[in-house]
Amino acid sequence: YKVLKLTGGKYVAKEVVSVSDSLIVEAGSTVEMMSGVTMVVNGTIVMRGTAEKRIQFNGSKENWGNGIAINGLAKDATVEMA
């Protein structure tokens, strides 16, 4: 994907997901990572959850993925959490 935008709801990552520009995850999104799956982002990540509509990344006990790999993270990058 050039830009991947998750706009709430449940998304199941069953294979490696590669994003070349931007991963945008909006409030209320749930991402289930299947066994061995990695999300590779070669650009920016924007996650906008709220206290009422949290963003969740999960899997079952038997089915955890490898997580998110961020390549080329800018030295002035920031993380904000509500």
Side-chain angles (χ1 to χ4, degrees), residues 8-79:
K10 183 177 179 180
Y11 299 87
V12 179
K14 296 180 180 179
E15 58 188 21
V16 173
V17 177
S18 181
V19 181
S20 63
D21 192 17
S22 298
L23 171 63
I24 303 165
V25 185
E26 294 190 347
S29 297
T30 298
V31 179
E32 184 175 329
M33 306 285 286
M34 301 304 283
S35 181
V37 171
T38 303
M39 294 184 89
V40 180
V41 180
N42 294 304
T44 60
I45 297 178
V46 177
M47 295 187 192
R48 295 186 179 110
T50 67
E52 296 80 26
K53 292 185 175 182
R54 295 175 184 232
I55 295 170
Q56 298 181 32
F57 284 81
N58 59 40
S60 69
K61 281 186 177 181
E62 304 82 26
N63 235 4
W64 274 100
N66 293 335
I68 300 174
I70 307 167
N71 297 321
L73 186 63
K75 63 182 175 184
D76 60 345
T78 61
V79 175

